[in-house]
């Protein structure tokens, strides 16, 4: 089945530093979604990327979909303590809306 | 508040028992998904329903079953429970079954003693 690798698994940053998490697949993806899960919370949808080379921004967050549609990244500029949580990428398939989630990157921000 | 309601929030039971987890999707959503999240682990897709019909199946054990009812709520049945079944079980919903954002409930934390 489809596998999605996400790195790094953990990241500690000082508040104000940048952060990036990467998502890689061995197969071409139809779309990729990003979710954030705060400690003790549930995953919350952030964004969906569909087109090759697509770049979308949400305030300090920048999402990219690779040209070959096999990888994606989420970059946070100038992290804040409110950014703490686990960020998951989720690869979509054409069969139903089954999402294959990456293992997640747990972001910890030191104030 | 995502609009997805899961009950109960916590469930403690013993090995060998059977439990039922319930999910009410957001108003207007036709598709329901079930996920399992073990401690500090990722999300494992279990099963998807769309408008009452099974749409996609993931790593769901034979001891587990689910269904979606005419009013669109869904139930996940877990039987012959084992210690390794202890996890957070999330339900999510979306309007359509493909390429849609999924809205997650708060989850049911299942603890097997």
């Amino acid at each position: 089945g489809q596998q999605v690798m996400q790195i790094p698994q953990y990241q500690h940053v000082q508040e104000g530093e940048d952060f990036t998490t990467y998502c890689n697949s061995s197969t071409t993806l139809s779309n990729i979604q990003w979710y954030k899960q705060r400690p003790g919370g549930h995953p919350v949808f952030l964004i969906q990327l569909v087109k090759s080379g697509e770049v979308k921004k949400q305030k300090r967050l920048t999402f990219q979909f690779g040209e070959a549609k096999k990888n994606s990244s989420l970059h946070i500029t100038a992290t804040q303590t409110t950014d703490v949580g686990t960020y998951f990428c989720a690869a979509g398939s054409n069969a139903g809306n089954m999402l294959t989630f990456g293992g997640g990157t747990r972001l910890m921000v030191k104030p | 508040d995502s609009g997805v309601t899961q009950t109960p929030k916590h469930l403690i039971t013993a090995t060998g028992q059977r439990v039922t987890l319930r999910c009410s999707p957001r108003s207007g959503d036709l598709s329901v998904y079930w996920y399992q999240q073990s401690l500090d682990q990722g999300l494992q897709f279990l099963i998807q329903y769309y408008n009452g019909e099974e749409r996609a199946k993931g790593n769901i054990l034979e001891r587990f079953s689910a269904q979606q009812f005419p009013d669109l709520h869904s139930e996940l049945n877990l039987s012959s429970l084992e210690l390794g079944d202890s996890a957070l079980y999330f339900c999510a919903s979306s309007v359509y079954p493909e390429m849609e954002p999924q809205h997650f409930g708060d989850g049911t934390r299942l603890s097997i003693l």
Side-chain angles (χ1 to χ4, degrees):
Chain A
Q2 187 166 259
Q3 287 197 334
V4 177
M5 304 300 294
Q6 193 172 349
I7 56 169
Q9 195 173 356
Y10 302 95
Q11 183 85 61
H12 292 255
V13 299
Q14 196 73 40
E15 189 173 20
E17 290 181 340
D18 291 356
F19 159 77
T20 306
T21 173
Y22 301 90
C23 195
N24 296 289
S25 169
S26 56
T27 59
T28 302
L29 305 172
S30 60
N31 66 299
I32 196 150
Q33 297 179 6
W34 286 92
Y35 290 79
K36 176 183 178 182
Q37 184 176 20
R38 293 182 186 273
H42 59 264
V44 174
F45 173 79
L46 295 176
I47 209 154
Q48 175 168 270
L49 305 171
V50 179
K51 299 176 186 173
S52 166
E54 190 169 14
V55 178
K56 286 188 176 179
K57 293 192 176 187
Q58 287 180 350
K59 296 183 181 177
R60 294 178 293 104
L61 277 60
T62 302
F63 304 84
Q64 280 191 287
F65 202 6
E67 293 289 342
K69 298 181 74 173
K70 288 185 176 183
N71 56 73
S72 181
S73 64
L74 158 58
H75 179 82
I76 302 179
T77 304
T79 54
Q80 299 175 0
T81 54
T82 52
D83 296 325
V84 162
T86 302
Y87 292 84
F88 291 98
C89 64
S93 73
N94 290 322
N97 198 19
M98 187 181 110
L99 291 178
T100 302
F101 278 79
T105 296
R106 186 174 170 186
L107 173 63
M108 288 155 279
V109 180
K110 299 177 209 173
Chain B
D1 180 18
S2 67
V4 178
T5 305
Q6 287 189 250
T7 56
K9 291 194 184 306
H10 303 277
L11 202 46
I12 302 174
T13 189
T15 55
Q17 295 299 304
R18 173 190 169 92
V19 296
T20 297
L21 313 183
R22 184 189 166 99
C23 170
S24 293
R26 278 191 330 164
S27 177
D29 284 359
L30 300 177
S31 201
V32 168
Y33 316 79
W34 287 98
Y35 293 89
Q36 179 192 58
Q37 185 174 45
S38 301
L39 194 62
D40 288 337
Q41 296 293 309
L43 288 148
Q44 297 295 319
F45 169 73
L46 296 178
I47 199 162
Q48 177 198 4
Y49 283 84
Y50 174 64
N51 211 16
E53 300 286 329
E54 183 183 302
R55 181 84 176 186
K57 216 167 189 176
N59 300 321
I60 187 166
L61 300 171
E62 284 192 14
R63 300 183 285 109
F64 296 1
S65 65
Q67 54 184 324
Q68 186 180 27
F69 295 87
D71 67 352
L72 301 176
H73 91 271
S74 178
E75 292 181 357
L76 178 66
N77 300 295
L78 315 177
S79 61
S80 303
L81 287 168
E82 301 175 359
L83 293 176
D85 297 328
S86 293
L88 194 49
Y89 290 84
F90 283 109
C91 169
S93 72
S94 67
V95 178
Y96 297 115
E98 291 169 6
M99 291 179 64
E100 284 270 316
Q102 295 183 16
H103 303 272
F104 284 75
D106 289 337
T108 292
R109 182 166 295 284
L110 176 64
S111 299
I112 313 297
L113 303 180

